[in-house]
Amino acid sequence: IAFAGALLSGYLFEGPLCGAQADQQQPKGMASFVERQNPAPMPHGPFEFVSDNLWYVEGTAKIGMMTFPRGMVVCRDPSTRELALINPIRLSPDGERQLAELGKVADVVRIGFHGMDVAHYQSKDFADAQGASNPPAVWSFQDLREKYGAVVTHELTEDGELPSALRAFNARVIVLGTLPKESMEALLLLETGNGNALVSGDCFQSHEKPRGNLMSRWLMPVFGFRGKCVIGPMWLKILTKEMDKTQVLALKEDISRVKDWQFESLLSGHGCIRDGTAKDGVVKAVDVAFA
């Protein structure tokens, strides 16, 4: 356990503020972790076809000596060929060439915790590579300028405007508003030709098959990252650490709204389920996490 803790202290995150900053007000929840801004591309897989105009790319992130999966969803508006990237990950040069073949990135949508790659898509280098005069719009709940060097242009809300590539899938949004604003997350429902798909950031994850390097395959299950569908154990533990019972129950009711949606697939920031059993897995994950 001590060894695992040492590894996690070398996370992609720099960890809670300390030292000279310890006297300042500490951010709470997931905001107490700071990811490295605009890191170099990590290895990733191919663009996996999900449905017409919808793809999933599984990439990786590094935690000390471990690597673990991070997934990005690519949606395309068929009428304009504009792309929206949900849970954005930075691609290799070859990956960006393949992305350009699919269309032009018009929107970057951050629905969960990870935001370290958002600034890359607003960079001049990426705009020049796309032949674009303006960077993509960025959708999120928080100001990302200080933490990630990215500029949020649109606030993501349940009843507000959405990118055209999401409107093409009649997207619906659940914002987990019972979470602190600095740790807020959203769930999206996309209507596809192969059944509906639930898109999640850190909330719902799939770790049925161990992935990553040997260290990751050993340690991730120890920290609860195992099973076909789970609510991110670290995510939930950090967010509920300072909540009382009433607040935890309110969070459960907030997340449980997803039970009213009908979907067959889960496209998560950490793993996916594409065998038609995602709804059963999500319902069970909620019941187990808040038992």
Side-chain angles (χ1 to χ4, degrees), residues 77 80 192 229:
D77 181 342
T80 63
T192 80
C229 186

Side-chain angles (χ1 to χ4, degrees), residues 85-154:
L85 309 182
I86 309 172
N87 296 324
I89 62 174
R90 185 173 179 179
L91 301 172
S92 66
D94 185 55
E96 290 195 347
R97 284 190 289 270
Q98 295 177 50
L99 183 67
E101 292 175 1
L102 299 180
K104 176 185 174 182
V105 178
D107 299 278
V108 175
V109 186
R110 175 181 178 260
I111 64 170
F113 167 62
H114 298 289
M116 58 188 172
D117 293 322
V118 173
H120 169 71
Y121 288 100
Q122 288 190 315
S123 68
K124 185 177 184 301
D125 288 345
F126 183 76
D128 290 346
Q130 279 206 126
S133 56
N134 297 311
V138 172
W139 303 69
S140 185
F141 318 105
Q142 305 96 4
D143 181 1
L144 304 180
R145 190 187 304 267
E146 181 177 352
K147 188 173 182 180
Y148 297 115
V151 178
V152 175
T153 58
H154 296 75

Side-chain angles (χ1 to χ4, degrees), residues 5-290:
L7 286 175
L8 283 176
S9 68
Y11 213 131
L12 183 62
F13 313 115
E14 295 171 4
L17 297 175
C18 57
Q21 296 176 306
D23 293 334
Q24 301 177 11
Q25 185 175 359
Q26 297 283 328
K28 297 180 180 180
M30 295 302 291
S32 64
F33 293 90
V34 180
E35 295 179 295
R36 295 174 183 167
Q37 292 185 11
N38 201 17
M42 292 287 291
H44 62 81
F47 288 80
E48 300 176 27
F49 177 83
V50 178
S51 184
D52 289 342
N53 301 300
L54 185 65
W55 297 267
Y56 183 82
V57 181
E58 184 167 275
T60 53
K62 190 176 182 181
I63 308 177
M65 296 169 61
M66 300 190 300
T67 59
F68 72 104
R70 282 183 62 208
M72 175 173 71
V73 177
V74 181
C75 304
R76 181 171 66 188
D77 181 342
S79 63
T80 63
R81 293 184 61 82
E82 289 186 345
L83 304 178
L85 309 182
I86 309 172
N87 296 324
I89 62 174
R90 185 173 179 179
L91 301 172
S92 66
D94 185 55
E96 290 195 347
R97 284 190 289 270
Q98 295 177 50
L99 183 67
E101 292 175 1
L102 299 180
K104 176 185 174 182
V105 178
D107 299 278
V108 175
V109 186
R110 175 181 178 260
I111 64 170
F113 167 62
H114 298 289
M116 58 188 172
D117 293 322
V118 173
H120 169 71
Y121 288 100
Q122 288 190 315
S123 68
K124 185 177 184 301
D125 288 345
F126 183 76
D128 290 346
Q130 279 206 126
S133 56
N134 297 311
V138 172
W139 303 69
S140 185
F141 318 105
Q142 305 96 4
D143 181 1
L144 304 180
R145 190 187 304 267
E146 181 177 352
K147 188 173 182 180
Y148 297 115
V151 178
V152 175
T153 58
H154 296 75
E155 183 177 4
L156 187 63
T157 64
E158 292 189 358
D159 302 316
E161 181 186 3
L162 290 174
S164 65
L166 297 191
R167 296 197 302 270
F169 289 90
N170 297 317
R172 281 179 273 173
V173 182
I174 288 177
V175 174
L176 300 179
T178 50
L179 295 173
K181 187 172 180 64
E182 63 271 15
S183 301
M184 209 173 283
E185 182 156 335
L187 302 168
L188 305 180
L189 183 71
L190 306 179
E191 296 180 6
T192 80
N194 296 330
N196 295 346
L198 174 68
V199 184
S200 171
D202 287 290
C203 184
F204 295 105
Q205 306 181 15
S206 180
H207 298 278
E208 184 177 25
K209 296 179 180 179
R211 300 187 298 285
N213 59 16
L214 183 62
M215 187 70 70
S216 175
R217 295 183 185 205
W218 175 66
L219 282 179
M220 294 293 275
V222 173
F223 288 107
F225 295 94
R226 57 182 181 272
K228 191 167 188 177
C229 186
V230 298
I231 288 184
M234 281 179 121
W235 177 84
L236 187 62
K237 183 174 183 179
I238 292 169
L239 291 177
T240 58
K241 183 179 179 181
E242 297 184 13
M243 288 185 178
D244 59 30
K245 184 176 181 180
T246 300
Q247 292 171 318
V248 172
L249 290 175
L251 176 59
K252 177 184 178 181
E253 291 302 313
D254 206 7
I255 295 176
S256 293
R257 289 189 288 158
V258 76
K259 295 181 180 180
D260 295 331
W261 284 352
Q262 183 56 48
F263 52 90
E264 289 70 40
S265 302
L266 170 67
L267 305 176
S268 167
H270 303 290
C272 61
I273 301 174
R274 293 170 53 191
D275 61 1
T277 65
K279 175 68 179 287
D280 291 340
V282 163
V283 170
K284 182 179 179 181
V286 174
D287 294 340
V288 170
F290 291 95

